[in-house]
Amino acid sequence: MRIVETMQKADWPTIISRVVGVALLFAGVLLAAGLCTATPQDNSVPSIFDSHSTPADSIRHLSFFVLGVTGLIFLVVFSLLSYVVVKFRSRAADTVREPAQVYGSTQIELAWTIIPVLIVVVLFLATARVIHAIQDAPKPAEAVEVTAIGHQFWWEFRYPGLGVVTANELHVPVSDSSHPTPTFLRLLSADTDHSFWIPQLAGKTDLIPNRVNETWLDPHETGLFLGQCAQYCGTQHAKMLLRVYADGPEDFKVWIRGQQHPANQDEREAAGRRVFETTACLNCHAVGGTNGTGRFGPDLTHLMSRHTLASGAAENTPENLRLWIENPDAIKPGSLMPAMKLSDADLDALVRYLETLR
């Protein structure tokens, strides 16, 4: 009798409030999906649904398939639940009658066992196919090879066959059907766990100390693609950013030739060079043609050819460069870059010298 009395207390306001709650949840899901699929002009956050590379295309297609299947499941369950809530709600005439009870239905048991198993198998096979296609892709002879090393808190990119070393900004050639030139990356970590992720070009690939993982990119159009470390790596993890520039074939060759040039030797800034060579700068940084061969920090040979400082935390301007040397915590608190404690004259001379490194 207590169960019957409880059922009688159910009323339309309660039913409506629950339905409205579920509807709002559904609307939130649709809003999130709309933001994910927005164009770059509408949404500045890189999205996996705005793909510009073969690996990213495969991931996007798989994501739409999985979202379609799970969305269909949600609609079926939501519709059945709404129907049951309305159809079998408690009525005044039901005070002496108990709903029909179903015990041991073989058909129901088979249905809610076999159907979910089939859905899981289909999703597993679809995912495994995409993983195999990306991870076991053949490497053509004309592919560009890059070694990416994750440090706290910056990225280092080495082009082994080209003698180019850069930081935080990766340049790759555009690949098309007539001239496929994918970029294959060997990913290593110098200290802690990292995760290399450019949403519009490829999926996440972890960087683990004492292990080499691989991924590849083949952008279909020129442009700038933003990425970041997707694995917590320390207090400034959120500012461990990276920029990938997809260049046309000729532009990529021009960039490579420019990076292969030795450091600019401007005798007018000899004073700033002396500051670099006689302070702790050279213990961490390298500049071609000087006695600076450090590897704890980024190579500065072509520093001013980069658009950002501190792994994307600040725009590469003389003002920010001076602040970065004088007080790194003002830009990136907790970074491993020490404050140099230089006099104003030495600091100005050093900044002028670094500005010549293009």
Side-chain angles (χ1 to χ4, degrees):
M1 291 297 296
R2 186 171 297 177
I3 295 176
V4 173
E5 292 175 359
T6 301
M7 293 177 61
Q8 287 179 325
K9 294 180 181 179
D11 53 8
W12 274 107
T14 301
I15 296 173
I16 293 175
S17 65
R18 292 175 180 175
V19 172
V20 169
V22 176
L24 289 175
L25 176 62
F26 183 59
V29 172
L30 293 178
L31 176 61
L35 291 174
C36 290
T37 56
T39 62
Q41 290 75 20
D42 300 327
N43 181 15
S44 60
V45 178
S47 169
I48 65 170
F49 298 108
D50 182 28
S51 59
H52 296 275
S53 178
T54 300
D57 288 343
S58 300
I59 294 172
R60 179 172 64 89
H61 295 152
L62 176 63
S63 300
F64 281 138
F65 176 71
V66 173
L67 288 174
V69 171
T70 54
L72 179 61
I73 294 172
F74 174 83
L75 288 176
V76 171
V77 173
F78 178 78
S79 300
L80 291 176
L81 181 61
S82 300
Y83 171 77
V84 170
V85 168
V86 175
K87 176 69 176 178
F88 299 103
R89 67 187 184 278
S90 176
R91 296 181 174 87
D94 295 334
T95 56
V96 294
R97 184 170 62 87
E98 184 176 335
Q101 303 297 304
V102 178
Y103 299 98
S105 172
T106 303
Q107 293 84 356
I108 294 177
E109 296 284 350
L110 289 174
W112 69 35
T113 300
I114 294 177
I115 294 177
V117 167
L118 291 177
I119 293 174
V120 171
V121 169
V122 170
L123 295 178
F124 169 79
L125 293 177
T127 303
R129 180 181 64 84
V130 172
I131 292 175
H132 171 73
I134 294 176
Q135 291 190 343
D136 298 329
K139 183 189 298 183
E142 60 273 16
V144 176
E145 297 188 29
V146 179
T147 298
I149 305 174
H151 301 260
Q152 287 188 313
F153 297 96
W154 61 282
W155 298 95
E156 180 180 10
F157 300 109
R158 295 178 173 271
Y159 296 71
L162 303 173
V164 172
V165 180
T166 186
N168 306 319
E169 297 184 3
L170 173 65
H171 283 253
V172 299
V174 168
S175 184
D176 55 47
S177 56
S178 60
H179 189 71
T181 51
T183 300
F184 279 73
L185 295 101
R186 299 174 69 252
L187 303 173
L188 305 90
S189 175
D191 35 49
T192 185
D193 291 349
H194 300 281
S195 188
F196 183 88
W197 188 35
I198 307 98
Q200 295 173 292
L201 300 183
K204 301 175 184 177
T205 304
D206 288 346
L207 290 77
I208 304 171
N210 303 316
R211 179 182 174 86
V212 178
N213 288 334
E214 295 184 348
T215 189
W216 59 285
L217 320 169
D218 65 335
H220 303 323
E221 60 184 63
T222 60
L224 168 62
F225 302 96
L226 303 179
Q228 67 182 83
C229 175
Q231 170 72 32
Y232 181 75
C233 56
T235 56
Q236 285 300 307
H237 158 71
K239 289 186 178 180
M240 189 168 174
L241 311 175
L242 63 94
R243 301 160 73 89
V244 177
Y245 291 91
D247 301 325
E250 292 305 317
D251 291 336
F252 180 71
K253 293 177 182 178
V254 170
W255 179 80
I256 288 292
R257 287 196 296 268
Q259 294 294 309
Q260 290 173 333
H261 289 162
N264 187 22
Q265 303 292 338
D266 190 338
E267 294 303 323
R268 293 173 297 179
E269 303 302 337
R273 177 175 172 175
R274 281 194 299 272
V275 174
F276 174 81
E277 294 181 325
T278 57
T279 60
C281 297
L282 54 77
N283 293 333
C284 296
H285 297 284
V287 173
T290 72
N291 58 358
T293 58
R295 286 289 178 265
F296 292 104
D299 188 301
L300 303 181
T301 303
H302 299 286
L303 170 65
M304 299 310 292
S305 69
R306 302 166 195 161
H307 296 80
T308 62
L309 297 169
S311 192
E315 187 180 355
N316 189 3
T317 63
E319 295 76 19
N320 286 337
L321 180 59
R322 191 181 196 280
L323 178 60
W324 177 239
I325 298 170
E326 182 180 24
N327 182 18
D329 282 354
I331 293 178
K332 202 169 188 177
S335 67
L336 301 182
M337 171 82 171
M340 297 306 298
K341 307 296 183 182
L342 299 174
S343 66
D344 288 342
D346 285 349
L347 181 57
D348 291 338
L350 178 58
V351 170
R352 288 196 301 270
Y353 166 67
L354 294 177
E355 286 184 73
T356 67
L357 302 180
R358 300 185 177 276

